[in-house]
Amino acid sequence: MRFRWAVVLICVLTVASIFPLYKFVGMAFLPDEDESLFQINVRGPQGTSLSGTQSMLDRIARDVRAQMPEVQNTLVLAGFGRGSGPNNGFVNVSLKPVSERSRSQSELINQTRGIIKKYSSKEYQVSVSASSSIAGSIGLGRGGSGVGVYIAGPDMVKLTGYANALVEKMKEDPIFRDPDTSVEVGSPEIRVVIDRTKAADLGVRAGDVAQALNILAAGQIVSTFSAGSEQYDVVVQADEQYRRDRSYLTQFTVGSSNVGRAVQPGNASGGNQGSNSNGTTPSGGAVGTVPLDRVVKLTEGLSPSSISRLNRLRQVTVSASLPPNSSESDAVAKIQEYAAQLQMPPEYLTGVTGQSKELEKAYDAFLYAFLLSFVFMYLILAAQFESFVHPITILITLPLSVPFALLSTAIAGQTLNIFSALGILLLFGIVKKNAILQIDHTNTLRSRGMGRYDAIIQANRDRLRPILMTTLALVAGMIPLILGSGAGAATNRSIGILVVGGQSMCLILTLLAVPVFYSLFDDASDTPFFRGIGDGLGKVKSKIMRPVVNTFSSTLRTTGDLRDEDGDGRERDSAV
């Protein structure tokens, strides 16, 4: 109490350290949980057979089992994974329980990256990611620590180029592991290019060409027939040998309807039922067939195996894994910085997706929750103490606990996540409770005639023991969360470390800050400025709040007053 401004200066510096400590600790969506399971993903070039992918996966699984004794078993699945098709697959690696191995899951994942390095090439993309039951159950893509951004725009070729350039930049940064894109360009296709001018002269529409190719390649149901109790579809389709060879496509024909112009018999390869000898209908509209090679050209090309869209724009996703206890928010900021360096046109957009998107939503939600917690606590404390000043004294101590919570998380080598952020709310409740004990007892002693200084000293001396008892009880109750192991241990540990460390380290400062700020606000209340504010609030209370309260109380009393007014033995509710 003799060095009040020194205590205020320490409190200001402590609150100012929140931002640098948060930047140092970072924030992740989920803690790095050791679930004794991780996944090796393989994506081969387009055209790789299922047996070829299976062979690659078997070799990887065999090397992992041979070089890592901690592996319990492996499960190989070809034709599945992040993409669809026979060139994709993955290996699920199941580890022995945590109690039966000396190395953590993250250490084994790092060793696996070294084992599979010889299988990675320009043709084969091989990556490792931790499995997370929470992330997988809500569809967040990669399990464990991972980031993902999307690039959306109108041109798929440019999108692929931007995504590949972004991946190359991420490969140069050691914080990103196994960066990759979602696009797979390499599926062979036959492209049919229509000569619009010639097709218009021959009366052939683009829709007619598409419908003819669909009938020839995929088939179309034209009728049904019954055989006993069964009914079968009649499908018109080209024979298989004509569907598998592109050279036969030129022999197919497409319908032509050209008014006033007959189709030359030598150009048609089919008859016209109900038409004249010159190929015209009795009504004068020419109906016939035209060979496809007269109106189209066939070219070979490559296309993506699948196209994703966002708000009608094509999009490509770029994702990567992160080292254990890495800040996902910092990683996303780096990716967005690299994307800005690409100088994409304004019609190309970038944004976060998957787990990174959920992290941003959680971050905004927690800020909103912290703000509401301050508002509601102030309202409750103002009603309890019947004062506008004492709640401020109590709430000032809450920000003092945040730097120590972040510091304890940093000392433990962890990042802030959605579970440890809940621990901050719990920490607020404990710190607020201690301040309430101090201020309430101080007000009680002052109401008994004790001076302010003596009341502050005596109140803090009397309340020190119960505060220490409740703090020790809280710390002791959190120790099992810190020392626990097995499934969910990382989640429990992140909450326990933040609460125990934050409460233990901020205890002394908050106990000193409460009486100092109590005395400072009490001194300020005697100044003309604050007396004017107090008089104004008092007028508001007397003119607005007191009549409302009195009217409400009077209504309750009148409504509940059932009396025998006439002496006839009957009670009436006059208000009703």
Side-chain angles (χ1 to χ4, degrees), residues 18 29 42 45 58 68 97 114 152 279 298 326 337 395 410 425 492 496 518 561 570:
I18 292 179
F29 184 68
V42 176
D58 289 337
M68 296 170 57
L298 303 180
S326 298
E337 179 183 351
L395 295 180
L425 294 176
N492 298 334
Y518 178 88
D561 188 12
R570 292 180 299 174

Side-chain angles (χ1 to χ4, degrees), residues 14-260:
T14 302
V15 174
S17 66
I18 292 179
F19 182 74
L21 280 174
Y22 171 76
K23 297 297 293 183
F24 177 77
V25 172
M27 186 169 185
F29 184 68
L30 297 171
D32 292 311
E33 192 74 61
D34 191 333
E35 296 189 357
S36 300
L37 182 68
F38 63 89
Q39 192 175 86
I40 304 173
N41 300 280
V42 176
R43 187 177 68 189
Q46 288 290 339
T48 305
S49 63
L50 189 64
S51 59
T53 305
Q54 182 77 31
S55 177
M56 170 72 76
L57 295 172
D58 289 337
R59 293 200 303 270
I60 294 175
R62 184 171 58 251
D63 290 348
V64 170
R65 290 194 304 266
Q67 301 183 35
M68 296 170 57
E70 293 88 353
V71 174
Q72 192 170 24
N73 54 64
T74 58
L75 174 63
V76 174
L77 287 176
F80 299 90
R82 294 178 186 168
S84 59
N87 62 316
N88 292 276
F90 62 89
V91 181
N92 271 341
V93 181
S94 178
L95 304 175
K96 294 180 181 179
V98 180
S99 58
E100 299 181 12
R101 49 186 167 90
S102 57
R103 293 188 293 176
S104 65
Q105 176 179 285
S106 59
E107 293 174 336
L108 296 175
I109 289 177
N110 290 333
Q111 182 183 356
T112 304
R113 287 194 174 98
I115 295 174
I116 65 175
K117 187 176 295 184
K118 61 181 180 180
Y119 296 102
S120 299
S121 62
K122 291 184 178 180
E123 291 79 16
Y124 282 90
Q125 298 289 334
V126 186
S127 60
V128 186
S129 60
S131 298
S132 175
S133 57
I134 297 179
S137 62
I138 58 179
L140 297 183
R142 291 191 179 194
S145 297
V147 292
V149 297
Y150 68 84
I151 305 176
D155 191 343
M156 194 65 192
V157 176
K158 290 185 178 181
L159 282 178
T160 304
Y162 290 138
N164 292 333
L166 182 58
V167 168
E168 293 300 323
K169 288 181 175 292
M170 294 170 62
K171 288 181 178 179
E172 298 174 358
D173 196 326
I175 193 176
F176 299 108
R177 307 283 178 85
D178 305 324
D180 196 7
T181 65
S182 61
V183 64
E184 294 184 55
V185 179
S187 298
E189 66 178 9
I190 300 296
R191 297 174 181 173
V192 181
V193 181
I194 303 176
D195 188 337
R196 300 282 180 170
T197 304
K198 187 179 293 185
D201 292 339
L202 296 175
V204 177
R205 297 174 300 178
D208 297 333
V209 176
Q211 185 178 10
L213 291 174
N214 182 63
I215 295 174
L216 298 172
Q220 179 175 331
I221 300 175
V222 295
S223 180
T224 58
F225 76 94
S226 301
S229 60
E230 301 293 336
Q231 189 177 43
Y232 300 93
D233 295 328
V234 178
V235 179
V236 175
Q237 186 183 34
D239 197 19
E240 183 177 359
Q241 61 175 335
Y242 297 100
R243 299 197 309 267
R244 298 183 64 87
D245 192 344
R246 58 168 290 184
S247 62
Y248 288 110
L249 289 176
T250 58
Q251 300 182 14
F252 294 141
T253 59
V254 60
S256 170
S257 57
N258 199 332
V259 178

Side-chain angles (χ1 to χ4, degrees), residues 326-344:
S326 298
S327 174
E328 294 181 25
S329 56
D330 293 343
V332 171
K334 281 192 174 183
I335 297 178
Q336 292 176 337
E337 179 183 351
Y338 294 152
Q341 295 175 3
L342 299 178
Q343 297 182 352
M344 293 179 288

Side-chain angles (χ1 to χ4, degrees), residues 206-537:
D208 297 333
V209 176
Q211 185 178 10
L213 291 174
N214 182 63
I215 295 174
L216 298 172
Q220 179 175 331
I221 300 175
V222 295
S223 180
T224 58
F225 76 94
S226 301
S229 60
E230 301 293 336
Q231 189 177 43
Y232 300 93
D233 295 328
V234 178
V235 179
V236 175
Q237 186 183 34
D239 197 19
E240 183 177 359
Q241 61 175 335
Y242 297 100
R243 299 197 309 267
R244 298 183 64 87
D245 192 344
R246 58 168 290 184
S247 62
Y248 288 110
L249 289 176
T250 58
Q251 300 182 14
F252 294 141
T253 59
V254 60
S256 170
S257 57
N258 199 332
V259 178
R261 182 178 299 174
V263 180
Q264 299 298 328
N267 295 335
S269 57
N272 300 316
Q273 294 182 0
S275 63
N276 299 328
S277 59
N278 62 354
T280 60
T281 59
S283 60
V287 177
T289 56
V290 177
L292 274 176
D293 59 355
R294 295 194 60 185
V295 293
V296 302
K297 292 182 180 180
L298 303 180
T299 60
E300 294 183 356
L302 300 176
S303 67
S305 59
S306 62
I307 297 177
S308 300
R309 296 184 184 273
L310 177 68
N311 296 332
R312 295 185 178 181
L313 293 176
R314 298 184 176 186
Q315 71 162 355
V316 176
T317 302
V318 178
S319 59
S321 298
L322 299 177
N325 297 321
S326 298
S327 174
E328 294 181 25
S329 56
D330 293 343
V332 171
K334 281 192 174 183
I335 297 178
Q336 292 176 337
E337 179 183 351
Y338 294 152
Q341 295 175 3
L342 299 178
Q343 297 182 352
M344 293 179 288
E347 61 267 19
Y348 291 86
L349 310 175
T350 60
V352 295
T353 183
Q355 184 167 311
S356 302
K357 184 178 181 179
E358 296 299 322
L359 174 63
E360 282 195 350
K361 292 169 59 178
Y363 179 82
D364 296 338
F366 272 113
L367 290 180
Y368 189 61
F370 290 153
L371 177 62
L372 289 181
S373 68
F374 275 82
V375 173
F376 290 141
M377 282 188 287
Y378 179 84
L379 295 176
I380 294 174
L381 293 174
Q384 178 181 353
F385 287 99
E386 297 183 353
S387 170
F388 294 102
V389 177
H390 293 325
I392 299 178
T393 306
I394 295 173
L395 295 180
I396 281 179
T397 62
L398 301 186
L400 296 177
S401 63
V402 177
F404 296 100
L406 297 176
L407 181 61
S408 61
T409 301
I411 293 174
Q414 297 183 343
T415 56
L416 196 66
N417 54 71
I418 59 174
F419 297 108
S420 55
L422 291 174
I424 296 180
L425 294 176
L426 173 62
L427 193 60
F428 283 172
I430 302 300
V431 174
K432 176 175 67 67
K433 180 266 302 177
N434 295 341
I436 290 175
L437 290 177
Q438 294 172 274
I439 292 179
D440 182 66
H441 194 40
T442 302
N443 291 337
T444 301
L445 295 178
R446 292 186 67 182
S447 65
R448 296 173 182 174
M450 187 177 292
R452 188 187 72 180
Y453 179 83
D454 295 333
I456 290 175
I457 298 301
Q458 184 64 37
N460 284 272
R461 181 181 291 113
D462 294 341
R463 289 295 179 256
L464 178 61
R465 182 176 180 180
I467 289 175
L468 292 178
M469 290 173 62
T470 54
T471 301
L472 291 176
L474 175 68
V475 171
M478 288 289 178
I479 289 178
L481 297 181
I482 300 176
L483 302 179
S485 60
T491 300
N492 298 334
R493 192 178 300 113
S494 62
I495 300 176
I497 289 175
L498 185 141
V499 175
V500 170
Q503 175 61 23
S504 301
M505 289 189 287
C506 78
L507 179 62
I508 295 179
L509 182 58
T510 53
L511 290 181
L512 296 178
V514 170
V516 168
F517 282 106
Y518 178 88
S519 62
L520 291 175
F521 279 117
D522 191 67
D523 292 339
S525 62
D526 294 332
T527 61
F529 176 75
F530 283 98
R531 278 203 303 267
I533 295 178
D535 294 340
L537 293 176

